[in-house]
Structures are given as C-alpha cells and as structure tokens.
Amino acid sequence: MKSGPTRPPGPMARAAIALLAALFVPIIVGQLEHSKSYWLLAVFAVLALLSRRNMKQPLFALAFALPFLQFGSTREMYMITPGLEVCLLAFFLLWFAWALQGRAALPDAGLVDGSVLLFLAVATSSALAASTARVWTEGATLSDFRLDAIVFRNPPLALLFPLRQLFIFLEAFLLFGFVRANLTRDDVETLALTLLGSAVVVMGLGALFFVVADNSRYFQGVNRAMSVFSGPNQFGTYLLLILPLAVGLALTARSRMARGVAIVSAVGGAVMLYLSRSEGALLGALIAPLLYAVFFRPAKTRWARTSRLLIGAAMVGVACLGGFLLATWSPEQLNTTSDGRYFLFRAALNMLQHSPLFGVGLGNFFQDLGGFYPHGIAGRVAHEQAHNMFLQVFAELGPLGLVAFALPLGLLLVRAARAPDLSPLGQALVVGILAALVHSLTDYTLWISSLALFFWMYVGALAVMLDAPGEREPRHEPSLAPTCEPVMPR
C-alpha cells in the first residue's frame, strides 16, 4: 500500500463504491439462490477472516484458487465462471468496506487509471446501446430480467449479453486497480510464488487428464492437454503467463523451496505447452522473448546491438512474407491455412466499414457475424468470436474503443521499455504479458473471464514493479490516540 497516512475516500469515490456495492450484492444473493451453492458462504467467511489484518491474504488465496474455481460453466457459456466471479465480487465488497475505513487503498487518478475509466465509459455506452437495440428488435421487456441472470446465465446470443461482456471488463479492471493500489514489490514476489504453487497442481492435473482422458475426437484426432480449463488454447494462454514467472524465479528465488517450485513449474509448463498443441500459444512463446530483446533490453554492447538488428530484420522479413502471401494466395488458401480465421478477419473489417465510428456494439460480433462475411464466401460458422482480440474490440467499439483499450497496456509497456533497472521478476511479467498479447492476435482467450482476471492481475503487478521504490511501502495507519513525547530539560 502507499506510504503515508491513509486518506478517506472522497465523495465521488464513496458514490462509486456505493453504486458497485448496490450492483454486486443482488448479483451474489441471486446467484446463491439460483445455484443453491450455499457452501460458498463458507468461502466468503474465509475471505473475511483472511482480511482481518489486510486485504493481501484473501487476494493470494483467490490467486491460488483461480484456476480451480471455474466450475459452473457450460459449453454454451464457457466464457463465464460463476464460482470464481461470485467469490471475486465478495472480495471486492470486503475491499470497499476496508477502503471506507481507511485500511485499504483505492486506485489513484493517474493517466493509466484515466485510460481504464475511458475504456469503461466507451464500453458501457456501447453495451447499453447494443442491449437496448436487441431488446427493441425482439420486442421483449426487461421486467423479468435479474442482475444475477444477466451476469451468470447470459449466453452470447441472449438479448443482454453485451452487458455480460461489459461485466468481464469491469471485474478485470477492478482487480487490476486493487493490485496496483495495494501491493508492494515484495508482495508481487509472494503473489508470483503463490501462482507458481497453484500452477504445479494445475500441471499435475493436466498430465493426469491427458493420460486418462482422450479428447482427440474434439480436435481432429489429436489429443490435447487442457487441465482444468475449458479448452487447450485457454490452457496455452495460462501457461504463457506462468512460464516467464517460473523461469525468472528459478534464477532469482532466495529460498531453495521457492527455486524448486519455480523449476518444476518451468519444466512442467514447457511440456504442457507442447502437449496443448496450441499453435497461437506456441507462437506467443517464440515471439514474446524476441519482442523483449528488441524493444525492452538496453543494447550496451556491439553484440547486443547486432543481435537486435538481426532480430528486427527477421521480424520485418516475416511481415513481408505475410504481405506476399496476402497478395498472391487466394482467399480460400489463406482461410484454410489460418483454420478459418482469415474469413473471420474479413468479416470484422466489413463490420468496420458498416459502422466505422462506433463499431457494431460490444458483444455483437458473435451475434452478427453471419451477415458480414464477404460476398460469395461461406464462413465456417454463423456465430463465432473473431479470434483476434484487438480486431474484435475494433469491430465492436470502433477506433476510440480500441485506443482506450490499448492505452493502459501501451503506457505500462512503454514505461517498462524505458525502465533502466527492471528486476528479473518485472522482466518476467513483461514477457508473459507480451506472450498473451501475441496469442490474442489469433485467439480470444482473454475474453474468457477467468483468463481476463488472470491477465489483468499480471498487468497490475507490472504496474507495481514499475513504480518508484518508495511509493509502495506499507502504509502506517493513523492513530486516534494523542502522542506524548518526553520534554527534554533545557
């Protein structure tokens, strides 16, 4: 937490807390009533007990349990993770309560936070407009809709799915804000070790499931590792975030046990990444270290400058090859090579031509895809995600939405590139974030709530590592008792 005395939240912050609490409480209550999962009340009680000293312990507990709280999802609503999200909402309510008492920090009004708020404003306006248009077109009424149903029982073709999509961003950005405002650099190392301890279990389960359960009938005859995730590509994104942390801590961990956990995570993660057969994840694992070497490492020697030049030339060559293929291959060849993604990308560009300023509306790419395939081309399905996170944001929210979405990430990555003494842990966070972003050029895994939360937790941890050394020391709580200092005789 920030150093210095804690200031109570101002009127606007209190109003925001009250609004979010009024939103979260009925969602939690409604979901418990619907699912009959009253045992979650015990989880809430544990979170409350862990928060008695500070809010860091419940965060670490949630971080460890994050991969295992994905129950409640269905094939139709695999982007939603009710168990995890209900626990997270309870965590946020505890955070708000401590913040009102001055025992936890709220995000500062900085440039990064302002860009996040800008994106939320754009996304909220778009989601409200898209939901209203859907309801108006279908002639439905909102009288029977409940907040918990909108959040946890809303598949992509449902009328109010745009609001559900908005909720994923709200949760992710709140988690980012908490991490950034309340953790210190030492806490980030503890968080990293917690995530690696969880990853060891995830990888062990992944190896077990891979051996005992053959899922090749779903993946064109290839058995692919998924572990506790809903698909191998999601597992691949998770591993992209875990592997750099494991390598970084294996080289720098101060205790033998921590180093052992990191080594096991690094070796197991590499094996599981290969067994996931996720081509996008493998691409991210190869390209992210190159991007880091070119843009984030200071070139102090001639060999470093020469290596950077060669890597840059290779990347330009790959880009030229891609341009050549676009110019010479037929659309059908490009589509087959990209496993149907080329026609999805073309449909996204057609959406932009249809609505160049504001996009087709948050959450509407899946809904409207079938009507935007290029003329004379049959896409693989009528309803699908874009398999490119940035292109989908662009198509749904327009230029302003894409800029607002990319701005906080860009600001933090630029700071990381300019940081003269970024620690190995900070470097690992940068590589993991870059790898997940590269994977997002060919997939949409960061639109799935569990992975979105995981990713933005990482982004918040990187923001902590980039802050000045004195800005994240534990805060001293102000005492209400008067202080009595001895008076020295003159």
Side-chain angles (χ1 to χ4, degrees):
M1 301 180 186
K2 295 179 183 179
S3 60
T6 306
R7 292 180 298 177
M12 291 188 64
R14 287 177 176 271
I17 287 175
L19 179 63
L20 291 172
L23 177 66
F24 293 165
V25 169
I27 291 174
I28 294 173
V29 173
Q31 178 63 13
L32 289 178
E33 291 178 351
H34 173 80
S35 65
K36 309 300 182 184
S37 301
Y38 296 115
W39 60 269
L40 282 171
L41 294 173
V43 178
F44 302 162
V46 170
L47 291 175
L49 288 174
L50 291 174
S51 71
R52 293 183 64 183
R53 183 176 179 183
N54 56 55
M55 288 299 299
K56 299 174 185 179
Q57 297 304 319
L59 173 70
F60 298 150
L62 279 177
F64 184 90
L66 190 151
F68 313 107
L69 288 175
Q70 301 180 71
F71 51 83
S73 301
T74 64
R75 181 174 294 275
E76 188 183 25
M77 297 187 292
Y78 64 95
M79 299 176 73
I80 301 171
T81 52
L84 169 62
E85 293 178 76
V86 168
C87 295
L88 188 69
L89 296 185
F91 171 82
F92 287 149
L93 290 176
L94 287 170
W95 175 27
F96 299 156
W98 285 125
L100 290 174
Q101 299 177 43
R103 299 179 62 181
L106 296 173
D108 296 326
L111 186 58
V112 172
D113 305 281
S115 60
V116 167
L117 291 176
L118 173 62
F119 176 80
L120 284 177
V122 173
T124 300
S125 301
S126 182
L128 291 173
S131 296
T132 301
R134 285 192 184 190
V135 171
W136 182 269
T137 302
E138 296 292 332
T141 62
L142 299 181
S143 58
D144 296 328
F145 289 106
R146 296 172 49 180
L147 287 175
D148 57 294
I150 292 172
V151 172
F152 293 124
R153 293 183 290 283
N154 228 338
L157 292 177
L159 294 178
L160 299 181
F161 181 75
L163 296 177
R164 165 62 218 181
Q165 190 67 62
L166 173 67
F167 203 78
I168 291 178
F169 289 119
L170 177 61
E171 292 174 319
F173 288 148
L174 281 174
L175 186 58
F176 161 77
F178 175 84
V179 170
R180 184 164 183 254
N182 290 278
L183 264 58
T184 68
R185 293 189 178 191
D186 289 340
D187 295 327
V188 172
E189 183 172 347
T190 303
L191 177 63
L193 288 172
T194 301
L195 293 173
L196 292 184
S198 175
V200 170
V201 182
V202 171
M203 293 170 194
L205 291 174
L208 176 64
F209 296 159
F210 183 80
V211 171
V212 302
D214 186 357
N215 56 33
S216 57
R217 64 185 181 276
Y218 300 114
F219 303 110
Q220 301 176 343
V222 178
N223 189 22
R224 301 175 64 179
M226 296 168 50
S227 189
V228 296
F229 292 86
S230 56
N233 291 328
Q234 292 90 302
F235 188 32
T237 297
Y238 170 80
L239 293 172
L240 289 179
L241 292 167
I242 285 294
L243 272 169
L245 275 189
V247 174
L249 288 180
L251 297 174
T252 62
R254 288 170 287 187
S255 71
R256 182 176 300 177
M257 184 182 71
R259 193 177 302 113
V261 170
I263 292 173
V264 171
S265 299
V267 175
V271 173
M272 286 292 104
L273 183 61
Y274 172 76
L275 293 178
S276 74
R277 302 296 200 276
S278 175
E279 295 177 356
L282 291 171
L283 186 68
L286 292 174
I287 292 181
L290 297 180
L291 291 174
Y292 186 84
V294 172
F295 297 107
F296 294 86
R297 293 285 294 177
K300 298 180 179 179
T301 65
R302 179 179 297 179
W303 168 246
R305 290 190 291 269
T306 303
S307 300
R308 176 174 295 186
L309 182 62
L310 292 175
I311 293 173
M315 296 174 69
V316 171
V318 171
C320 292
L321 176 61
F324 174 78
L325 295 179
L326 285 173
T328 58
W329 282 20
S330 68
E332 289 74 17
Q333 287 176 305
L334 291 169
N335 196 58
T336 301
T337 303
S338 63
D339 192 23
R341 285 168 171 79
Y342 178 71
F343 287 167
L344 293 175
F345 298 167
R346 289 282 300 274
L349 295 176
N350 287 343
M351 289 182 185
L352 280 170
Q353 290 181 351
H354 175 74
S355 183
L357 293 180
F358 303 107
V360 296
L362 185 68
N364 275 348
F365 187 98
F366 188 97
Q367 170 93 357
D368 300 338
L369 172 63
F372 285 94
Y373 281 119
H375 180 69
I377 288 177
R380 60 183 187 180
V381 287
H383 302 291
E384 180 61 284
Q385 308 292 345
H387 285 72
N388 183 313
M389 180 179 66
F390 306 99
L391 191 56
Q392 186 158 339
V393 171
F394 199 12
E396 291 187 348
L397 298 179
L400 179 59
L402 178 62
V403 170
F405 178 76
L407 189 57
L409 295 171
L411 289 172
L412 289 174
L413 290 175
V414 168
R415 286 184 60 194
R418 294 177 176 176
D421 56 348
L422 193 61
S423 68
L425 181 56
Q427 296 172 16
L429 290 169
V430 171
V431 174
I433 290 169
L434 289 174
L437 292 177
V438 170
H439 188 191
S440 294
L441 293 172
T442 61
D443 220 317
Y444 60 95
T445 53
L446 294 185
W447 288 74
I448 298 171
S449 58
S450 57
L451 290 169
L453 295 171
F454 201 80
F455 175 79
W456 285 96
M457 184 192 302
Y458 261 61
V459 177
L462 176 60
V464 173
M465 299 300 292
L466 292 173
D467 281 326
E471 291 182 359
R472 295 290 167 183
E473 295 302 320
R475 158 186 304 152
H476 299 287
E477 297 178 12
S479 174
L480 299 180
T483 57
C484 298
E485 298 181 359
V487 179
M488 302 297 295
R490 296 185 179 181

